[in-house]
Amino acid sequence: MSWPEPVVRVQSLSENGIGTIPDRYIKPISDRPALKSEIHDHLEVPVIDLQNLFGKDPALHQETSRRISSACRDWGFFQVVNHGVSHELMKRTRAVWRDFFELPLEVKQQYANSPSTYEGYGSRLGIEKGAILDWSDYFFLNYLPVTLRNQSKWPAQPVSCRELVAKYGAQVTKLCGRLLKAMSINLELKEDYLQNAFGGDEMGACLRANFYPKCPQPELTLGLSSHSDPGAITVLLPDPDVAGLQVRKGGKWITVKPFPNAFIVNVGDQIQVLSNANYKSVEHRVIVNSEKDRVSLAFFYNPKSDLLIEPAKELVNEDRPALYKPMTYDEYRLYIRMNGPCGKTQIESMKSNR
């Protein structure tokens, strides 16, 4: 499988000093960001201190659990601090990806990706010919299972990149396991329920390093179109200097202000399915900026690809029947790989007719 037309690197467009963006990047009016009016200062994505989640004090543990639960129900998004991942490692890993995107184009092109796996250096999602594109480049790699981890496909330059990604992935995977445990307990399931339902030690994980170049007309385009994440949970390391992530809440777009040394965590579609919509994945998108480019790292923790995912039996009853039909993650992911990001149409299409 190959891209339907030649791939243009957005960073090259940006660095050429263009004053207007090509038509291919101009969104329909209904999808364009109203950059000033959409920053709702009175609404903030919850910030949760994880220090007490697995500490000795049961009251503090319960309070932290309760906050995670209400964030999953009310927002589908939250920021976490005291999460156990080294701040220095976070900073160095983000910096090494910025250095990668600043390498000469011919070096990056050695890693050019195809839509069959998306692994490598890319500039588009979805394979529809003539589709409206997003204002971003990225590097996508498989981290878990180990059988899919191919470090020769990871950047050899900068020289510290492979080692940092391996260390960063290990620490973030551990955090994902802790969060799934907390979510299981909050759903009144056994603490290892979600982890086991998603494949236990055979769960998948991928990293996408995002580069959002400066854009001369940020009001006409998006860095990433509206979508919900197809997997279990996503742990995002945002750019500390430039806000760009927007979350849909009550029909409005809320710009997330990154908290220092925090990760932004969001519920993916598979948690929505398994929890029978007690927890919901939420639409989000990325706006761009005319002054500064941005780098963020999205770590996707996903079900084992060939496992059938369906609502947990414990969360299905007469009053609340199973809302989704069973589907493997491989089948589910194919939809987004073919169509690119498109709101929540994908999860809605899975609804059961029963």
Side-chain angles (χ1 to χ4, degrees):
M1 198 191 291
S2 57
W3 299 112
E5 49 226 339
V7 173
V8 175
R9 302 303 177 190
V10 178
Q11 188 175 4
S12 301
L13 290 175
S14 177
E15 287 173 354
N16 285 343
I18 55 171
T20 55
I21 63 173
D23 290 350
R24 291 294 309 271
Y25 298 92
I26 297 176
K27 302 291 176 189
I29 289 170
S30 60
D31 293 344
R32 292 178 199 170
L35 295 175
K36 294 207 165 54
S37 64
E38 287 180 343
I39 297 177
H40 296 275
D41 289 325
H42 58 289
L43 280 174
E44 294 274 354
V45 169
V47 178
I48 301 173
D49 186 336
L50 295 187
Q51 195 168 347
N52 298 310
L53 189 58
F54 296 103
K56 299 271 192 310
D57 187 319
L60 292 172
H61 167 89
Q62 214 168 354
E63 174 57 19
T64 308
S65 275
R66 190 195 60 73
R67 293 199 66 206
I68 292 172
S69 183
S70 67
C72 289
R73 287 176 197 276
D74 302 341
W75 280 87
F77 266 82
F78 52 99
Q79 299 195 61
V80 293
V81 294
N82 289 321
H83 39 61
V85 179
S86 152
H87 294 174
E88 183 62 22
L89 182 60
M90 292 161 71
K91 204 160 81 181
R92 287 179 63 204
T93 309
R94 188 172 45 215
V96 87
W97 281 110
R98 181 171 279 284
D99 291 346
F100 169 79
F101 288 112
E102 284 170 3
L103 289 170
L105 183 60
E106 59 272 17
V107 176
K108 293 179 289 198
Q109 286 290 74
Q110 295 168 23
Y111 302 97
N113 73 349
S114 82
S116 52
T117 66
Y118 276 85
E119 274 184 285
Y121 177 51
S123 297
R124 65 178 292 167
L125 300 165
I127 56 166
E128 184 195 333
K129 195 169 183 176
I132 296 172
L133 301 175
D134 289 335
W135 192 262
S136 56
D137 300 323
Y138 62 85
F139 195 103
F140 182 84
L141 60 86
N142 286 313
Y143 185 76
L144 289 174
V146 176
T147 49
L148 283 183
R149 188 188 302 179
N150 184 349
Q151 292 200 347
S152 67
K153 291 184 177 176
W154 301 3
Q157 291 182 54
V159 287
S160 58
C161 184
R162 290 176 180 175
E163 184 193 352
L164 283 168
V165 167
K167 286 180 177 169
Y168 178 83
Q171 289 199 18
V172 179
T173 299
K174 203 171 166 184
L175 169 62
C176 289
R178 294 173 72 192
L179 289 167
L180 281 188
K181 203 173 265 194
M183 289 178 191
S184 294
I185 294 166
N186 289 337
L187 289 164
E188 297 181 4
L189 300 166
K190 289 179 180 164
E191 66 170 32
D192 54 0
Y193 187 97
L194 290 175
Q195 182 88 30
N196 288 342
F198 290 141
D201 292 339
E202 295 179 86
M203 278 190 73
C206 331
L207 178 75
R208 192 176 69 217
N210 303 303
F211 186 77
Y212 301 105
K214 283 185 287 199
C215 178
Q217 296 176 298
E219 70 285 354
L220 296 182
T221 191
L222 290 166
L224 188 52
S225 295
S226 170
H227 65 289
S228 60
D229 289 345
I233 49 177
T234 304
V235 175
L236 180 80
L237 178 59
D239 192 298
D241 302 317
V242 197
L245 175 68
Q246 290 191 324
V247 175
R248 199 175 177 96
K249 170 85 169 153
K252 295 188 169 78
W253 287 103
I254 314 295
T255 302
V256 180
K257 295 174 192 162
F259 199 83
N261 299 313
F263 284 113
I264 301 169
V265 177
N266 64 282
V267 169
D269 292 346
Q270 304 305 312
I271 294 256
Q272 177 167 330
V273 170
L274 231 136
S275 74
N276 208 24
N278 281 291
Y279 291 171
K280 290 191 177 71
S281 61
V282 167
E283 271 185 82
H284 51 287
R285 67 183 188 183
V286 176
I287 55 174
V288 289
N289 190 290
S290 58
E291 305 292 318
K292 295 177 177 174
D293 51 37
R294 291 176 59 249
V295 172
S296 69
L297 308 183
F299 190 86
F300 304 103
Y301 200 46
N302 298 328
K304 184 172 183 280
S305 59
D306 58 356
L307 272 186
L308 216 51
I309 307 294
E310 60 186 323
K313 302 276 184 283
E314 294 86 338
L315 302 176
V316 173
N317 55 44
E318 272 182 35
D319 296 334
R320 195 180 179 92
L323 296 176
Y324 305 98
K325 44 187 187 266
M327 187 185 277
T328 69
Y329 183 57
D330 251 355
E331 293 170 306
Y332 192 78
R333 181 169 51 186
L334 192 61
Y335 182 104
I336 205 163
R337 289 191 165 177
M338 303 299 278
N339 298 292
C342 36
K344 287 203 68 172
T345 54
Q346 182 178 8
I347 182 110
E348 294 303 322
S349 73
M350 267 188 76
K351 286 233 164 119
S352 173
N353 298 322
R354 279 173 282 176

